[in-house]
mmCIF file with all atom_site columns, all heavy atoms in Angstrom:
data_model
loop_
_atom_site.group_PDB
_atom_site.id
_atom_site.type_symbol
_atom_site.label_atom_id
_atom_site.label_alt_id
_atom_site.label_comp_id
_atom_site.label_asym_id
_atom_site.label_entity_id
_atom_site.label_seq_id
_atom_site.pdbx_PDB_ins_code
_atom_site.Cartn_x
_atom_site.Cartn_y
_atom_site.Cartn_z
_atom_site.occupancy
_atom_site.B_iso_or_equiv
_atom_site.pdbx_formal_charge
_atom_site.auth_seq_id
_atom_site.auth_comp_id
_atom_site.auth_asym_id
_atom_site.auth_atom_id
_atom_site.pdbx_PDB_model_num
ATOM 1  N N   . VAL A 1 122 ? -11.537 4.264  -21.051 1.00 0.00 ? 122 VAL A N   1
ATOM 2  C CA  . VAL A 1 122 ? -12.372 4.789  -22.135 1.00 0.00 ? 122 VAL A CA  1
ATOM 3  C C   . VAL A 1 122 ? -11.525 5.736  -23.069 1.00 0.00 ? 122 VAL A C   1
ATOM 4  O O   . VAL A 1 122 ? -11.688 5.732  -24.281 1.00 0.00 ? 122 VAL A O   1
ATOM 5  C CB  . VAL A 1 122 ? -13.555 5.591  -21.531 1.00 0.00 ? 122 VAL A CB  1
ATOM 6  C CG1 . VAL A 1 122 ? -14.320 6.382  -22.639 1.00 0.00 ? 122 VAL A CG1 1
ATOM 7  C CG2 . VAL A 1 122 ? -14.509 4.656  -20.801 1.00 0.00 ? 122 VAL A CG2 1
ATOM 8  N N   . GLN A 1 125 ? -9.470  3.584  -25.236 1.00 0.00 ? 125 GLN A N   1
ATOM 9  C CA  . GLN A 1 125 ? -10.269 3.088  -26.411 1.00 0.00 ? 125 GLN A CA  1
ATOM 10 C C   . GLN A 1 125 ? -10.409 4.076  -27.487 1.00 0.00 ? 125 GLN A C   1
ATOM 11 O O   . GLN A 1 125 ? -10.451 3.701  -28.688 1.00 0.00 ? 125 GLN A O   1
ATOM 12 C CB  . GLN A 1 125 ? -11.633 2.560  -25.897 1.00 0.00 ? 125 GLN A CB  1
ATOM 13 C CG  . GLN A 1 125 ? -11.585 1.306  -25.027 1.00 0.00 ? 125 GLN A CG  1
ATOM 14 C CD  . GLN A 1 125 ? -12.948 0.799  -24.651 1.00 0.00 ? 125 GLN A CD  1
ATOM 15 O OE1 . GLN A 1 125 ? -13.980 1.256  -25.193 1.00 0.00 ? 125 GLN A OE1 1
ATOM 16 N NE2 . GLN A 1 125 ? -13.037 -0.139 -23.742 1.00 0.00 ? 125 GLN A NE2 1
ATOM 17 N N   . THR A 1 133 ? -16.490 -0.486 -31.486 1.00 0.00 ? 133 THR A N   1
ATOM 18 C CA  . THR A 1 133 ? -16.464 -0.968 -30.065 1.00 0.00 ? 133 THR A CA  1
ATOM 19 C C   . THR A 1 133 ? -16.069 0.051  -29.018 1.00 0.00 ? 133 THR A C   1
ATOM 20 O O   . THR A 1 133 ? -16.250 -0.227 -27.851 1.00 0.00 ? 133 THR A O   1
ATOM 21 C CB  . THR A 1 133 ? -15.511 -2.274 -29.972 1.00 0.00 ? 133 THR A CB  1
ATOM 22 O OG1 . THR A 1 133 ? -14.231 -1.815 -30.355 1.00 0.00 ? 133 THR A OG1 1
ATOM 23 C CG2 . THR A 1 133 ? -16.031 -3.326 -30.891 1.00 0.00 ? 133 THR A CG2 1
ATOM 24 N N   . ALA A 1 134 ? -15.409 1.116  -29.466 1.00 0.00 ? 134 ALA A N   1
ATOM 25 C CA  . ALA A 1 134 ? -14.925 2.140  -28.486 1.00 0.00 ? 134 ALA A CA  1
ATOM 26 C C   . ALA A 1 134 ? -16.086 2.773  -27.757 1.00 0.00 ? 134 ALA A C   1
ATOM 27 O O   . ALA A 1 134 ? -17.094 3.144  -28.374 1.00 0.00 ? 134 ALA A O   1
ATOM 28 C CB  . ALA A 1 134 ? -14.105 3.223  -29.225 1.00 0.00 ? 134 ALA A CB  1
ATOM 29 N N   . LYS A 1 135 ? -15.927 2.974  -26.437 1.00 0.00 ? 135 LYS A N   1
ATOM 30 C CA  . LYS A 1 135 ? -16.995 3.583  -25.620 1.00 0.00 ? 135 LYS A CA  1
ATOM 31 C C   . LYS A 1 135 ? -16.799 5.125  -25.696 1.00 0.00 ? 135 LYS A C   1
ATOM 32 O O   . LYS A 1 135 ? -15.684 5.612  -25.574 1.00 0.00 ? 135 LYS A O   1
ATOM 33 C CB  . LYS A 1 135 ? -16.912 3.036  -24.217 1.00 0.00 ? 135 LYS A CB  1
ATOM 34 C CG  . LYS A 1 135 ? -17.041 1.524  -24.112 1.00 0.00 ? 135 LYS A CG  1
ATOM 35 C CD  . LYS A 1 135 ? -18.344 1.067  -24.698 1.00 0.00 ? 135 LYS A CD  1
ATOM 36 C CE  . LYS A 1 135 ? -18.406 -0.498 -24.719 1.00 0.00 ? 135 LYS A CE  1
ATOM 37 N NZ  . LYS A 1 135 ? -17.608 -1.121 -25.741 1.00 0.00 ? 135 LYS A NZ  1
ATOM 38 N N   . ALA A 1 136 ? -17.910 5.776  -25.801 1.00 0.00 ? 136 ALA A N   1
ATOM 39 C CA  . ALA A 1 136 ? -17.884 7.244  -25.912 1.00 0.00 ? 136 ALA A CA  1
ATOM 40 C C   . ALA A 1 136 ? -17.473 7.920  -24.560 1.00 0.00 ? 136 ALA A C   1
ATOM 41 O O   . ALA A 1 136 ? -18.009 7.478  -23.510 1.00 0.00 ? 136 ALA A O   1
ATOM 42 C CB  . ALA A 1 136 ? -19.171 7.769  -26.460 1.00 0.00 ? 136 ALA A CB  1
ATOM 43 N N   . ILE A 1 137 ? -16.736 9.010  -24.628 1.00 0.00 ? 137 ILE A N   1
ATOM 44 C CA  . ILE A 1 137 ? -16.467 9.815  -23.478 1.00 0.00 ? 137 ILE A CA  1
ATOM 45 C C   . ILE A 1 137 ? -17.687 10.600 -23.117 1.00 0.00 ? 137 ILE A C   1
ATOM 46 O O   . ILE A 1 137 ? -18.464 11.028 -23.926 1.00 0.00 ? 137 ILE A O   1
ATOM 47 C CB  . ILE A 1 137 ? -15.204 10.746 -23.682 1.00 0.00 ? 137 ILE A CB  1
ATOM 48 C CG1 . ILE A 1 137 ? -14.003 9.813  -23.960 1.00 0.00 ? 137 ILE A CG1 1
ATOM 49 C CG2 . ILE A 1 137 ? -14.944 11.686 -22.553 1.00 0.00 ? 137 ILE A CG2 1
ATOM 50 C CD1 . ILE A 1 137 ? -12.729 10.670 -24.413 1.00 0.00 ? 137 ILE A CD1 1
ATOM 51 N N   . ASP A 1 138 ? -17.840 10.950 -21.839 1.00 0.00 ? 138 ASP A N   1
ATOM 52 C CA  . ASP A 1 138 ? -18.956 11.724 -21.346 1.00 0.00 ? 138 ASP A CA  1
ATOM 53 C C   . ASP A 1 138 ? -20.278 11.095 -21.507 1.00 0.00 ? 138 ASP A C   1
ATOM 54 O O   . ASP A 1 138 ? -21.328 11.767 -21.756 1.00 0.00 ? 138 ASP A O   1
ATOM 55 C CB  . ASP A 1 138 ? -18.947 13.098 -22.058 1.00 0.00 ? 138 ASP A CB  1
ATOM 56 C CG  . ASP A 1 138 ? -17.727 13.976 -21.729 1.00 0.00 ? 138 ASP A CG  1
ATOM 57 O OD1 . ASP A 1 138 ? -17.164 13.730 -20.590 1.00 0.00 ? 138 ASP A OD1 1
ATOM 58 O OD2 . ASP A 1 138 ? -17.319 14.776 -22.553 1.00 0.00 ? 138 ASP A OD2 1
ATOM 59 N N   . GLU A 1 139 ? -20.333 9.776  -21.490 1.00 0.00 ? 139 GLU A N   1
ATOM 60 C CA  . GLU A 1 139 ? -21.637 9.091  -21.563 1.00 0.00 ? 139 GLU A CA  1
ATOM 61 C C   . GLU A 1 139 ? -21.849 8.211  -20.376 1.00 0.00 ? 139 GLU A C   1
ATOM 62 O O   . GLU A 1 139 ? -22.637 7.238  -20.391 1.00 0.00 ? 139 GLU A O   1
ATOM 63 C CB  . GLU A 1 139 ? -21.624 8.127  -22.831 1.00 0.00 ? 139 GLU A CB  1
ATOM 64 C CG  . GLU A 1 139 ? -21.650 8.856  -24.173 1.00 0.00 ? 139 GLU A CG  1
ATOM 65 C CD  . GLU A 1 139 ? -22.952 9.649  -24.369 1.00 0.00 ? 139 GLU A CD  1
ATOM 66 O OE1 . GLU A 1 139 ? -23.998 9.214  -23.830 1.00 0.00 ? 139 GLU A OE1 1
ATOM 67 O OE2 . GLU A 1 139 ? -22.917 10.724 -25.002 1.00 0.00 ? 139 GLU A OE2 1
ATOM 68 N N   . GLU A 1 140 ? -21.284 8.573  -19.230 1.00 0.00 ? 140 GLU A N   1
ATOM 69 C CA  . GLU A 1 140 ? -21.449 7.860  -17.986 1.00 0.00 ? 140 GLU A CA  1
ATOM 70 C C   . GLU A 1 140 ? -22.937 8.078  -17.527 1.00 0.00 ? 140 GLU A C   1
ATOM 71 O O   . GLU A 1 140 ? -23.508 9.129  -17.705 1.00 0.00 ? 140 GLU A O   1
ATOM 72 C CB  . GLU A 1 140 ? -20.493 8.316  -16.944 1.00 0.00 ? 140 GLU A CB  1
ATOM 73 C CG  . GLU A 1 140 ? -19.024 8.100  -17.258 1.00 0.00 ? 140 GLU A CG  1
ATOM 74 C CD  . GLU A 1 140 ? -18.074 8.717  -16.286 1.00 0.00 ? 140 GLU A CD  1
ATOM 75 O OE1 . GLU A 1 140 ? -18.558 8.921  -15.088 1.00 0.00 ? 140 GLU A OE1 1
ATOM 76 O OE2 . GLU A 1 140 ? -16.913 8.890  -16.563 1.00 0.00 ? 140 GLU A OE2 1
#
Side-chain angles (χ1 to χ4, degrees):
V122 173
Q125 288 186 13
T133 61
K135 303 303 177 283
I137 297 174
D138 297 331
E139 290 295 329
E140 298 174 20

